[in-house]
Amino acid sequence: MIKNALVIIFSVALTSLTLPSQAINSPEQLTFLAAEKAFSKGDLKTYSKLKKALKNYPLYPYLEYKELLKKLDAKHRKDIDGFISKYSSSPLADRLKYRFIHQLANQKKFKLMQQYYEYGDNARLDCLLLEDQLKNGTSVKNIANKIEDLWSVPKSQHKACDPVFKRWMDKNLLSDTVAYHRFYRTAHDGSVGLLKYLERFLPREQQYIADLWIRVKKNPGVVNRRSFFPGKDPNLEAPILVYAIKRLAWGDRDRAHRVWQHTKNRIPLAQDHLDEVERTLFLALATENNDKALKWLDNKNLDRFITDDLVNHWKLAVLLRNERWNDIRRLHELLPADQKNSNQWQYWNAIAQEKTGQLKESALTLKLLAEKRDYYGYLAASKLKQPLKLNHNPVKIPGEVFKRVKQSDNVQRAKELFELERYINASREWRKQLKQMNSSSEIQAASKIAHSWGWYNQAIITIAKSGYWDDTEIRFPTAFKDSYIKMAKKVNLPPQWLMGVSRQESAYGPLAVSPAGAYGLMQVMPSTAKAYSRKFKIPYSSRRDLLKPHVNIEMGSRYLELRNKQMGNNPIYASAAYNAGKHRIDLWKEFGRHSTDIWIESIPYTETRDYIKKVMTYRAIYALKLGIDDNIFNYILASETGGDETCSYVADTSSNSAASC
């Protein structure tokens, strides 16, 4: 602890700090923040006194790091090396090393830079090193392979590579094979502009292929013109046809199928090309419930692509939609062991057995599945009218392991950073710690520690790394339940549903921020928050407010309420719309009406399909944890979804709301 006298000495610096209103900072944290502020202002006298008081504080390295950022040159190399060595367990060491490397590159001190830099980490730095080697007498031939690797990518490299590429080309070391390889990769994954640039490097007799590729990238349907393929080189032209059909397939399925029938015999195609198109067409047709997908299966293709998990899923979906139960059993027998033994396939094979009169076999499989805490286990239990299982078994961690992890430098730093709301740096320290762990018990200890801080999503992610799934306190936290229950009453939705959405959206992380810019527990976008703050009079001034659990829960609950009303109080539609948007659900309805379990299995987007299964499962888990009756899996088994929605479903799906299909 810092002495009282020291706190008084620095009281002026401390009182000027602006801290989060919800945080209660320790004296050490306040002194650290004051030290940072003094350093940034150039008040080195105050900074020196504050720093001295923090010698044993976990975040002391962060002060030294900021000092060294102002000394990134060769004459301070000893200090830099000392920091990197002393704090090798911290991500700060790697960050300082990275900054030093780039500074040395800018200063053209390549000989020294190579002592810190590992070739291959950065294209710009690689090119600068290669250029320096050429200037110092290395022949282009000796580094030709490295230059070729840098050049052969489907994107424009950093301009620092231009001098190296020029020297390489001037020596005529760019082969036709390498030129076409880059052109081919760019045709599939790069821009039209780069394709036009690369055309010049192809042999004259191959340059016509660039025009074909560019036309197809702009409009894949042009391949249907009889005069499109000149037939000069089928090996070069075949990939264009394959690319075009695949592009068309994810737009107008029927058109793609017609174009393929018209064009597949115009150019000699290898079996790999045929397979690539057939696979894509089947997947595209199956996702829209096009009857051509079933015709393809019936044309002796049940065993095609049998090791491909995604293709097998869509075979299942097509057969389920058409109630081809015998074919589902046949397909199950053909599957590789890992797929055959999955809960998904065990469940649907059991249903197929039931539908085809194999009642004992079906009941046995369902009984075994009903013991499991997952989507198919809960379907099986509901079908058998058995209670759903929580299967809670808390993780057991030896005391010495827990103590060792808790006292580790990274965890100590992560704790301070977390409490100071430096979440990015806290996550960096945490990831570094996980990399250094050697046992499952250490990882489990870390997850328990993160959970105790209220860092719930990190705890969930961490315990998953250990492969331990049955500590439902860590994996399914019930923090903020009062806010969920309060909002559930306001929006007339079950609290367990709101909690299930949060668990899936953010792994129950109040501080989570997605790459798309969604915030908090229920992953609310700032634009949504602005609109809802006005509509529902929710206090909101900036996106940081979305990191406050009660604010985020209210915003997210209102959004789910909107989706639920838009989708006719259908919990499956509403959950799917929360993830994928209402317009997509409206589109998917057109693919036909089926029992709800089959409709879920046939959702075109893998992400949304998995999302629904998880949200429904988490909803049921939170109902068990809250002691609330929830019949969502009975609803899934008893209702129909999609197509013509004239039916109704009478059974109550929660403690306070009913649903209709």
Side-chain angles (χ1 to χ4, degrees), residues 3 10 39 69 96 169 331 333 442 475 505 559 577 607 610:
K3 296 178 181 178
F10 305 138
F39 184 76
L69 288 181
L96 183 65
M169 291 177 190
L331 177 57
E333 287 303 312
E442 288 179 329
R475 294 196 63 230
E505 285 287 342
Y559 186 66
E607 177 190 332
D610 292 343

Side-chain angles (χ1 to χ4, degrees), residues 163-294:
V164 177
F165 291 157
K166 186 176 186 304
R167 292 277 297 273
W168 178 61
M169 291 177 190
D170 287 346
K171 292 290 184 180
N172 295 316
L173 293 172
L174 172 56
S175 69
D176 292 347
T177 301
V178 171
Y180 181 73
H181 175 67
R182 185 182 185 190
F183 180 88
Y184 180 84
R185 291 183 66 190
T186 302
H188 285 81
D189 303 318
S191 67
V192 168
L194 184 57
L195 267 187
K196 291 178 179 178
Y197 166 76
L198 293 175
E199 178 183 359
R200 71 194 70 184
F201 300 111
L202 298 177
R204 186 175 296 277
E205 66 275 11
Q206 292 183 358
Q207 288 182 359
Y208 80 97
I209 211 74
D211 177 62
L212 299 184
W213 269 110
I214 291 167
R215 289 167 65 191
V216 164
K217 284 178 78 72
K218 291 179 178 178
N219 175 19
V222 296
V223 296
N224 202 31
R225 298 174 185 171
R226 286 201 164 271
S227 60
F228 180 77
F229 290 107
K232 293 180 181 179
D233 190 335
N235 290 328
L236 298 181
E237 295 170 23
I240 300 175
L241 177 58
V242 173
Y243 174 87
I245 300 299
K246 288 174 69 175
R247 277 274 304 277
L248 288 170
W250 295 110
D252 185 333
R253 271 73 165 169
D254 285 319
R255 183 187 179 204
H257 189 269
R258 288 195 305 273
V259 171
W260 176 237
Q261 299 306 313
H262 293 162
T263 58
K264 64 181 179 180
N265 295 319
R266 291 181 186 172
I267 305 172
L269 295 170
Q271 188 60 48
D272 286 349
H273 288 144
L274 294 169
D275 289 346
E276 196 174 349
V277 174
E278 292 285 340
R279 178 184 182 276
T280 301
L281 278 174
F282 170 70
L283 291 174
L285 292 166
T287 55
E288 285 198 350
N289 199 18
N290 190 300
D291 60 3
K292 293 183 180 66
L294 181 61

